[in-house]
Amino acid sequence: MGMRIKNHIVMKVLDYIKEAGCKDVNHKHIYENLRVFPCNESDIKVTLQVSPLSCKFVKPYELRNIKRDSIIQDIFREPKGSNVSFLVEKSQFISSCLQEIQTLSFPTIPKERIVIDFSSPNIAKPFHIGHFRSTIIGNFIANLCCFLGNDVTRLNYLGDWGTQFGLLRIGLKFLEISEEQLKENPVQKLYDAYVKGNALADNSLALYQKAKEEFTSLERGSNPEIMASWAMFKQYTIDDLAKTYKRLNVNFDQYSWESDYAAFKIQHVLSRLIPLASERDNGLQVVVLDNGKEAPILKSDDSTLYLTRDIAAAIDRYEKYNFSAMLYVVDRNQAEHFGSLFKILEKLDYPWAKNLVHVQFGRVRKMSTRKGEVVFLTDILDQAKELMIQRQKQTSTTKDLSFSNSDDLGISALIVHDLKHKRNADFDFKWSEVLKFEGDGGLKLQYTHCRLVSLREKVDLSLPSQCDPSVLTEPEAVALVAQIAAFDDAIIRAYYSLEANVLVHYLFQLSNCTNRCLKVLRVKDEPPDIACQRLLLFHTAELVLKQGMKLLGLKPLDCM
């Protein structure tokens, strides 16, 4: 944090470059490019990354001419690159940082109304590991946007429409699964039926045509029996998903369904869309995009496609929420789909189409469980919990001998292992990496938080009302203050890039710095004035670590 000090530097830089004739750089541009570092083991510097500012009126070295004052003690250019550093008065910075952290406010961020569409599994299918990435990335982005004061709607758009429904019914009939059998293990039975229906349709054009006809009947709402089956499948799926989301600590403001945008419900959209389309020889209606590619919007039997329903959904959401931006957190394989969606909405003259964003992410490779090649999330979560219990039993320092937190620990390890990678990168899944106690990972964050909680609970001290920086002079203390002060840098960079790994790696650094500090700076049996100020330092680190973990979607634990 230390925003008072950083704002002071921003204003000094801004005044200087404006006097030089640069009008294009504002407070936000400068603040976002400030980074805090320890300097010479006992000092603190605030470094300005000059190159992103693109101010042709001021050369980096000229910023050294800014007048020093009671806060800015020295200004120097870094040996490598064009960055300029401001050596700040340490006592003021430490006080500012440790006191401001209590509010965690970010006045430089404009507030917006944001809709985030994430997770979005399909009915009648177990929660696939592919949806796990969308869920945790979307949850992080939603948490971050809320933390910064935005008006956020978390939306889960479930796939309950399409030919898959007909394939599912064919599979159920072939396997002769009764309604009573279905109630015993509904999602697994529905998935088995879907797989069987697909296999049968692959070898029979007649069966595939039958599946299409069943969906067409459903879309027209003309068959009560089919409508009842569809409603039952939906309810079974929702009940199963609720258990998974509760386990992951993920909440949604609204569930919506593809079926909300069935053909008979979106005639007002189709009446605007069809004039843009051309009919092909096979009866397919397509919209020709600017790049020459064709985007199908209606089948020959007038049933809708996924793209058609997404167009209607986007229009409906803007009418409901009047959003500043809508984010779709979906893997990058769907880039062409979202490109078509955005272009068609632009062709329909919706100005808000430019505020739609496809937040892409890469693939997880080499993921498997003991149960086989098809990877479902519950299998992964259960295996993480089981392996976590084994690790806890083997560790002499384990305090929770009931293993009540093993599930949360396993989930923390899985989430951090995923989010530590760049969002759009592909990476290999390795259990040895996920559940390691050594090195950086989800377990390191939980361990550090537990140490800080334990320290606070064991000492018979009250937190001081004021910071006394004169007793926080050790290099380790100064380094930890500088690390704490970098929290808002990490938050702002993560927000504008929508990259969770920025925050994850910041928390790794904070944890490592905190653990080094805990080894050197004793609290117990120290003089009260020193002990209380060190306790304030560690308490501040705990607040930042806890908040950062919550933003990632973790449940910070008190013991493990």
Side-chain angles (χ1 to χ4, degrees), residues 329-346:
V329 185
V330 184
D331 75 83
R332 66 165 179 260
N333 290 335
Q334 297 298 315
E336 184 174 345
H337 167 81
F338 285 104
S340 299
L341 172 63
F342 301 164
K343 288 295 183 185
I344 290 174
L345 288 167
E346 287 175 8

Side-chain angles (χ1 to χ4, degrees), residues 26 65 163 299 376 438 527:
N26 58 33
N65 297 326
T163 305
K299 299 179 184 177
F376 299 128
E438 307 78 18

Side-chain angles (χ1 to χ4, degrees), residues 13 19 27 53 59 139 165 337 385 395 411 438 477 506:
V13 173
E19 285 182 11
H27 185 285
L53 300 181
K59 302 297 182 185
N139 190 50
F165 173 79
H337 167 81
K385 180 179 178 179
T395 304
I411 289 170
E438 307 78 18
Y506 165 77

Side-chain angles (χ1 to χ4, degrees), residues 215-248:
F215 170 61
T216 300
S217 178
L218 175 64
E219 187 156 45
R220 290 172 180 168
S222 58
N223 188 317
E225 180 199 348
I226 288 178
M227 296 292 287
S229 293
W230 162 74
M232 179 178 64
F233 300 162
K234 282 176 62 175
Q235 191 57 53
Y236 283 145
T237 304
I238 279 289
D239 292 344
D240 188 71
L241 286 174
K243 299 173 188 174
T244 302
Y245 289 131
K246 183 178 180 181
R247 203 171 171 185
L248 293 174

Side-chain angles (χ1 to χ4, degrees), residues 229-368:
S229 293
W230 162 74
M232 179 178 64
F233 300 162
K234 282 176 62 175
Q235 191 57 53
Y236 283 145
T237 304
I238 279 289
D239 292 344
D240 188 71
L241 286 174
K243 299 173 188 174
T244 302
Y245 289 131
K246 183 178 180 181
R247 203 171 171 185
L248 293 174
N249 195 30
V250 172
N251 298 296
F252 292 93
D253 298 304
Q254 183 178 342
Y255 285 84
S256 64
W257 304 85
E258 276 190 74
S259 56
D260 294 337
Y261 308 102
F264 70 92
K265 297 180 181 179
I266 60 169
Q267 289 302 310
H268 61 295
V269 174
L270 294 176
S271 65
R272 291 200 60 198
L273 195 54
I274 290 173
L276 296 179
S278 303
E279 186 173 344
R280 294 296 171 252
D281 292 342
N282 59 3
L284 197 66
Q285 297 273 356
V286 301
V287 174
V288 181
L289 305 177
D290 294 340
N291 59 8
K293 290 187 176 180
E294 297 183 348
I297 58 166
L298 282 177
K299 299 179 184 177
S300 57
D301 60 2
D302 292 333
S303 59
T304 58
L305 292 145
Y306 187 70
L307 176 60
T308 326
R309 299 187 286 276
D310 261 6
I311 293 167
I315 295 168
D316 180 51
R317 292 171 188 176
Y318 187 77
E319 291 173 353
K320 284 181 180 176
Y321 303 113
N322 191 28
F323 52 74
S324 308
M326 181 159 65
L327 313 181
Y328 296 86
V329 185
V330 184
D331 75 83
R332 66 165 179 260
N333 290 335
Q334 297 298 315
E336 184 174 345
H337 167 81
F338 285 104
S340 299
L341 172 63
F342 301 164
K343 288 295 183 185
I344 290 174
L345 288 167
E346 287 175 8
K347 281 180 172 287
L348 291 170
D349 295 325
Y350 289 111
W352 46 264
K354 65 181 183 297
N355 300 325
L356 305 179
V357 180
H358 176 201
V359 181
Q360 303 181 28
F361 56 84
R363 294 174 57 249
V364 183
R365 298 184 297 249
K366 300 182 180 179
M367 178 171 274
S368 63

